Amino acid sequence: MYKNSILKTASLDTSIFYVCLFVLTIINELPRVYFFSNMDALNGIFRLLQISIYICLFALVLCKRYKISQLVIFVIAIAILGIGYYESDNGAFVSAFLLICASKDFYFESIIKVCGSAVAFVFCISISLYVLNISNPGDFRRNGLSLGYVHPNIAAQVIFILLMIYLACKHNNLLVKDYVVIIIVFLFVYTITGSRTTAILILLCPIVIPINKFFVKHKSKIAMLFISLLQFIVFLFSVFSAKLLPQYSALKKLDLILSNRLFLNYYALSHNPMSLLGKKIDFSADGLVYNDIQNVYNAKVTLDSTYILGLLSFGIIPFAIFLLVYVYIVWKFFKYNNYLLITICALLAVYAFSESQMVQIYNFFVYFAVLTKIPSLVAKETN
């Protein structure tokens, strides 16, 4: 009877966690649909709902089998992140930390399937509203279609994340049909959304996957070191390419190829100070600015880099932990020979250079692997 009570409690905790995860993913995805993007009342409801779910996740963590010392560290960490949340008005790291801690001993694949289901659900809503001409932001360059989202790049990102989740659930067992799926998705993203960066990364999948399979099979320490440090390398490139941009013509040419993303990093770093625990930053200018790198007037200013956004908005300490956790995740995947998840880590790390939405764990979903069970890991434990 006592054993049955424990099983029922565990089952209830799992169900509560999955509901919290599904709702948080919906809250993250829905405002990116053009129809919902400017609804202030909806954003207010979402904010209250988020806080309620954070409290629920906090309670789930306290019910986990953590040691007292671990719980103390957890409380201190959530307090620090809470300060950052208050200062930056961005709860991405708070939600990620709570979800990671509450997901302890759950199955990684089950978690990302819940995320994928929520993303796919909103994707279907967006497509439906777009077809009905209810959610259509208008025309974009390269004739890209937004498919109901606020921008074609967002639509491409959603498709890319869904593809990565699809591959992550393949257990190192890709068939010919899976490569066909990758090519079809590439053609769709390139021709429909016009998002070149996303399309290129998708096209790289059939190339990078066999290479990583070879490296994992031969336990290449050099490859393991490179991929585990890849996020840090891309971060350093983001910072130094921005800092050195005014001085080198080669970087200015690269900036044009990358749709002025180096200038956007340069502008953000030049106009926003860094802090230890985070700071509220407005990365978009009121109106348009003068691009002194390319000598262009009325240039639109946003911030597309996860790394620069993370550094400036969340602060040096939380962002440094963000980079270190990635290293741990890659080493964990190498330990269990999961070359598909290693490939996904690498692709997401590169993708984060050009998309600021990767600060959200629902997009950079490999972070769920920190405390969860991975398929190959479970298989080895049972043998």
Side-chain angles (χ1 to χ4, degrees):
M1 185 175 178
Y2 177 71
K3 184 177 180 181
N4 290 335
S5 177
I6 293 176
L7 290 174
K8 286 181 180 179
T9 303
S11 178
L12 179 61
D13 289 350
T14 303
S15 300
I16 292 173
F17 173 79
Y18 287 147
V19 170
C20 290
L21 174 59
F22 186 86
V23 175
L24 283 175
T25 308
I26 294 291
I27 290 173
N28 180 69
E29 292 295 313
L30 210 55
R32 306 205 291 174
V33 178
Y34 179 71
F35 178 75
F36 301 104
S37 60
N38 294 314
M39 292 186 177
D40 293 335
L42 185 64
N43 290 333
I45 294 172
F46 281 170
R47 179 62 64 90
L48 292 175
L49 190 56
Q50 276 181 318
I51 293 173
S52 301
I53 294 174
Y54 291 163
I55 294 172
C56 184
L57 289 173
F58 186 87
L60 284 178
V61 173
L62 295 181
C63 293
K64 287 282 182 180
R65 294 182 180 179
Y66 285 108
K67 297 177 181 178
I68 297 297
S69 58
Q70 292 174 323
L71 288 175
V72 170
I73 294 172
F74 166 77
V75 172
I76 293 173
I78 203 66
I80 292 173
L81 290 174
I83 294 171
Y85 182 16
Y86 175 78
E87 293 292 338
S88 66
D89 196 31
N90 192 324
F93 277 17
V94 173
S95 60
F97 181 71
L98 284 170
L99 285 167
I100 288 170
C101 292
S103 68
K104 183 177 182 291
D105 295 331
F106 290 163
Y107 289 92
F108 175 74
E109 183 179 339
S110 298
I111 290 173
I112 63 174
K113 281 182 176 179
V114 172
C115 277
S117 298
V119 174
F121 176 70
V122 176
F123 182 69
C124 291
I125 292 175
S126 184
I127 291 286
S128 300
L129 294 176
Y130 180 75
V131 171
L132 296 172
N133 202 30
I134 296 174
S135 184
N136 188 349
D139 298 326
F140 293 89
R141 62 177 181 172
R142 293 194 292 269
N143 296 317
L145 302 181
S146 71
L147 303 179
Y149 288 94
V150 295
H151 195 280
N153 285 349
I154 299 298
Q157 180 187 121
V158 169
I159 296 169
F160 176 69
I161 296 302
L162 288 173
L163 177 63
M164 293 299 102
I165 291 175
Y166 170 80
L167 295 176
C169 296
K170 282 298 173 179
H171 301 172
N172 279 3
N173 186 29
L174 283 190
L175 304 176
V176 174
K177 67 176 183 178
D178 298 314
Y179 286 100
V180 173
V181 169
I182 293 172
I183 298 303
I184 292 173
V185 172
F186 158 74
L187 293 173
F188 183 85
V189 167
Y190 185 75
T191 57
I192 301 300
T193 69
S195 179
R196 295 178 299 182
T197 303
T198 309
I200 290 171
L201 285 174
I202 293 172
L203 189 59
L204 283 175
C205 286
I207 301 170
V208 178
I209 289 172
I211 293 174
N212 280 336
K213 182 178 181 180
F214 174 84
F215 285 143
V216 169
K217 181 179 179 181
H218 292 84
K219 301 189 182 299
S220 172
K221 293 183 179 180
I222 295 176
M224 181 168 64
L225 180 64
F226 174 75
I227 297 176
S228 63
L229 294 178
L230 183 59
Q231 195 179 62
F232 184 65
I233 293 169
V234 178
F235 163 66
L236 289 180
F237 173 77
S238 302
V239 173
F240 284 105
S241 62
K243 292 290 187 181
L244 300 175
L245 184 58
Q247 304 173 30
Y248 294 96
S249 58
L251 286 176
K252 293 178 182 179
K253 292 178 181 178
L254 181 62
D255 181 48
L256 290 175
I257 295 172
L258 297 174
S259 303
N260 295 127
R261 284 190 170 94
L262 300 187
F263 165 73
L264 296 177
N265 292 343
Y266 161 78
Y267 185 89
L269 289 170
S270 301
H271 290 79
N272 297 285
M274 287 183 282
S275 62
L276 288 177
L277 297 178
K279 188 175 183 181
K280 186 174 183 179
I281 305 292
D282 183 9
F283 292 109
S284 59
D286 293 329
L288 303 174
V289 302
Y290 170 61
N291 182 340
D292 56 333
I293 301 299
Q294 305 296 347
N295 192 28
V296 174
Y297 288 89
N298 298 325
K300 185 178 180 181
V301 176
T302 58
L303 183 58
D304 291 335
S305 172
T306 287
Y307 301 110
I308 303 303
L309 172 63
L311 178 65
L312 296 177
S313 183
F314 299 110
I316 297 171
I317 295 175
F319 182 70
I321 296 172
F322 172 75
L323 295 177
L324 289 172
V325 171
Y326 173 86
V327 175
Y328 169 77
I329 292 168
V330 172
W331 279 66
K332 185 174 182 178
F333 291 157
F334 262 106
K335 181 179 179 180
Y336 297 103
N337 302 316
N338 202 318
Y339 64 85
L340 269 179
L341 290 178
I342 292 168
T343 301
I344 291 168
C345 278
L347 292 172
L348 293 178
V350 174
Y351 191 58
F353 169 79
S354 61
E355 293 295 342
S356 60
Q357 293 85 6
M358 298 304 290
V359 294
Q360 299 289 349
I361 194 171
Y362 324 104
N363 295 324
F364 217 139
F365 60 86
V366 292
Y367 276 80
F368 279 116
V370 175
L371 297 174
T372 53
K373 297 179 179 180
I374 301 167
S376 56
L377 183 152
V378 175
K380 288 194 174 189
E381 285 182 341
T382 55
N383 288 337

